[in-house]
Amino acid sequence: MNTTSVISPPLTVHRSEPEFITPAKPTPHEFKALSDLDDQDTLRIYIPVILLYPYNPAMEGVDPAKVIKEAVAKALVFYYPFAGRLREVGPSRKLIVECTGEGVLFIEAHADVTLQQSGNSLEPPFPDLEELLFYGSHFDDVLDSPLLLIQVTRLKCGGFVVAIGHNHTMADGSGLGQFLSAVGEIARGKQVPSILPVWERHLLCAATPPNLTGFHPEYENYLDVDNVELDDNDGDDIEGDVNGSFFFGPKELSTIRKLIPPNFQKCSTFEILTACIWKCRTISISPKPNQIMRMSCIVNARNRFNPPLIPQGYYGNSFLFSTVISKAEQVIRNPVEYALDLIRKAKEGVSRDYIQSAMDTIVSKERPWVQIDGTYMMSDNTRSGFREVDFGWGNAIYGGPPRAIPAMTSYYLSYENKKGENGIILLISLPAKAMERFEKELNNLLNVMPTNTIKCSL
């Protein structure tokens, strides 16, 4: 893939003072326990999401910040736990939400640029994220902090950016998308959201006592003196990571599928693309041959089973890590279908029993972080619904995480490029030299020179 670098001046945003949006009507003051999937240490972080809207002449003179602020207050009547604060209970550090009604943090802002003038500042991987989403001291700890931050930044052209920082213990991407869709419906005049929120977090909790029946390598420590991920002479470890975005349109996705033998053609696009990305990434980071590599695909339990495991309207975390392991040399030297077969079988193994075992493992290991040595995660946000969130200005032209999580987690998002082609954009973060090698290996794998671009910010 060709590499391009669009140099644009830093985005400067002028913010108003933060304020709290509280529910528009009185809500219950009660305590609600999170699920055991929700409150593992890995999710005790804030995750950003960006929604980008162009100018709509039909909304001339209407202030998006005022519309969204009022709609959030009304939506919090239904989603009132978001207006509360997290508490930690007992030696097991169980998280509960105290529904205090204190509200979510809201910031109005404006930037004296148009979408056309912004260069790559308002394109993934969003190098000026800190201007679009300002946490400040309100979010130093997940406990007793606002559970949502919303910043609406008006642009000179009449477009605007909605940036959300959400506490991951409260919702996954689909759950946050459901809440934002409710805000959009209310902003457009509905009194009640089409999908009512469901709490029911007890449905995704460990058994008593926990029963460890499955193998969950994402929580296992394989690191030893011989398993150092990067080559000692590489130097990447002192460079810092860069963020990149790669667009895969219909042509590129068709080319990638043609790399796969006929007996693997039933595999999904996600599985095939992920196998290719894992192989190229593994080569790019120059691991030791015996380094244990982990590929974790995030699998959503929503709509996976019949009857459903969780009801419609559930907005908590409902994803599992479907993790495979392999020595680095096997991923590198074998054809793509080696990695593809591992990924396919692991995803097929996500059964009801596997999910229960994962929750039992989390509790028995005292709510751990996933292991990071040799780990790479892929999260598919193409169906999160972020692009379809409509506050009255139509669908977003971009909706999803603004960038990858450094050195560990990548995202797929549905995306329309500047040529009007719909496809998948990959957000990935790697050390600078590794990013160069990754791009080269991806091109070698495709054996073509498509018009895809990668945009990097240091």
Side-chain angles (χ1 to χ4, degrees):
M1 295 180 181
N2 298 326
T3 300
T4 63
S5 179
V6 180
I7 306 299
S8 59
L11 183 69
T12 301
V13 168
H14 306 278
R15 300 185 183 91
S16 65
E17 286 298 314
E19 58 183 307
F20 286 99
I21 304 177
T22 57
K25 297 178 181 179
T27 55
H29 185 172
E30 57 189 6
F31 295 85
K32 288 180 170 291
L34 294 178
S35 79
D36 289 326
L37 284 185
D38 290 327
D39 69 358
Q40 55 185 302
D41 280 356
T42 302
L43 302 187
R44 298 186 183 201
I45 57 175
Y46 287 88
I47 296 290
V49 167
I50 296 287
L51 307 177
L52 182 59
Y53 295 88
Y55 168 68
N56 183 339
M59 302 298 285
E60 179 70 37
V62 181
D63 181 5
K66 182 176 185 294
V67 169
I68 293 171
K69 179 180 175 181
E70 293 177 354
V72 167
K74 294 176 181 178
L76 286 175
V77 174
F78 303 94
Y79 287 86
Y80 61 88
F82 272 130
R85 299 293 183 266
L86 287 182
R87 315 291 187 220
E88 200 173 63
V89 178
S92 66
R93 302 187 301 116
K94 182 67 181 176
L95 287 182
I96 63 171
V97 182
E98 182 179 0
C99 301
T100 60
E102 291 174 75
V104 305
L105 203 64
F106 183 80
I107 298 175
E108 294 185 37
H110 70 273
D112 195 25
V113 297
T114 67
L115 277 174
Q116 292 72 26
Q117 295 170 336
S118 65
N120 67 339
S121 295
L122 294 177
E123 293 180 0
F126 291 92
D128 295 316
L129 173 62
E130 289 72 20
E131 291 293 312
L132 298 172
L133 190 63
F134 178 73
Y135 287 101
S137 61
H138 291 278
F139 298 86
D140 291 339
D141 191 350
V142 297
L143 301 178
D144 198 29
S145 295
L147 298 175
L148 282 175
L149 161 64
I150 302 172
Q151 179 175 323
V152 179
T153 304
R154 308 176 192 90
L155 304 176
K156 188 177 180 180
C157 59
F160 60 96
V161 182
V162 181
I164 302 101
H166 82 285
N167 188 311
H168 206 335
T169 64
M170 287 291 292
D172 57 14
S174 296
L176 180 64
Q178 178 182 307
F179 169 74
L180 293 174
S181 293
V183 174
E185 287 183 328
I186 291 172
R188 301 194 313 272
K190 293 199 71 169
Q191 299 300 310
V192 179
S194 298
I195 299 176
L196 291 174
V198 173
W199 188 258
E200 302 294 336
R201 306 289 172 115
H202 67 278
L203 295 173
L204 293 176
C205 282
T208 307
N211 182 21
L212 308 185
T213 58
F215 178 53
H216 303 277
E218 60 270 20
Y219 300 113
E220 300 296 330
N221 184 6
Y222 297 111
L223 187 64
D224 59 42
V225 293
D226 295 322
N227 279 340
V228 179
E229 184 170 324
L230 293 177
D231 189 293
D232 294 336
N233 298 319
D234 190 274
D236 284 356
D237 56 336
I238 62 173
E239 289 188 12
D241 287 352
V242 295
N243 291 286
S245 62
F246 291 83
F247 178 77
F248 298 87
K251 182 172 61 177
E252 290 77 31
L253 294 174
S254 176
T255 300
I256 287 174
R257 185 168 284 277
K258 290 175 182 177
L259 299 171
I260 306 304
N263 55 315
F264 285 96
Q265 286 300 316
K266 290 185 178 180
C267 292
S268 68
T269 297
F270 171 89
E271 293 165 345
I272 295 173
L273 185 56
T274 300
C276 294
I277 299 301
W278 186 28
K279 180 179 176 69
C280 294
R281 180 188 180 275
T282 303
I283 296 171
S284 76
I285 62 175
S286 303
K288 302 292 187 179
N290 290 329
Q291 164 74 26
I292 297 298
M293 308 303 292
R294 283 180 268 223
M295 179 72 240
S296 288
C297 296
I298 295 177
V299 178
N300 199 327
R302 287 179 174 85
N303 304 318
R304 188 173 180 84
F305 305 106
N306 189 16
L309 180 65
I310 53 176
Q312 184 185 37
Y314 186 89
Y315 62 101
N317 291 283
S318 64
F319 69 87
L320 283 297
F321 300 110
S322 172
T323 305
V324 299
I325 59 174
S326 174
K327 288 185 177 180
E329 63 179 351
Q330 293 176 310
V331 178
I332 292 171
R333 295 178 181 175
N334 281 301
V336 173
E337 54 263 32
Y338 168 79
L340 177 57
D341 192 44
L342 292 177
I343 292 169
R344 176 182 59 84
K345 288 178 179 177
K347 285 187 66 183
E348 288 176 350
V350 180
S351 62
R352 289 175 181 266
D353 289 341
Y354 180 89
I355 293 173
Q356 185 62 57
S357 176
M359 295 182 293
D360 293 349
T361 298
I362 290 167
V363 171
S364 67
K365 290 181 175 289
E366 299 180 346
R367 311 185 189 284
W369 278 86
V370 296
Q371 294 292 324
I372 62 172
D373 58 285
T375 297
Y376 182 47
M377 293 184 181
M378 185 63 73
S379 178
D380 183 4
N381 278 238
T382 59
R383 300 178 183 177
S384 62
F386 291 132
R387 282 184 68 188
E388 289 72 40
V389 174
D390 180 1
F391 300 110
W393 280 258
N395 290 354
I397 57 174
Y398 180 85
R403 59 176 70 155
I405 296 176
M408 189 172 176
T409 303
S410 290
Y411 297 102
Y412 293 139
L413 298 156
S414 58
Y415 190 71
E416 182 180 322
N417 67 8
K418 292 180 179 179
K419 294 182 178 182
E421 297 175 311
N422 281 293
I424 295 172
I425 195 169
L426 166 71
L427 301 184
I428 186 169
S429 177
L430 284 168
K433 288 183 180 178
M435 185 69 83
E436 293 176 6
R437 291 193 293 267
F438 174 79
E439 183 185 7
K440 179 181 177 181
E441 291 300 327
L442 194 54
N443 275 313
N444 289 341
L445 189 67
L446 290 172
N447 195 30
V448 292
M449 292 299 292
T451 56
N452 302 334
T453 62
I454 177 173
K455 306 179 184 70
C456 295
S457 58
L458 296 176

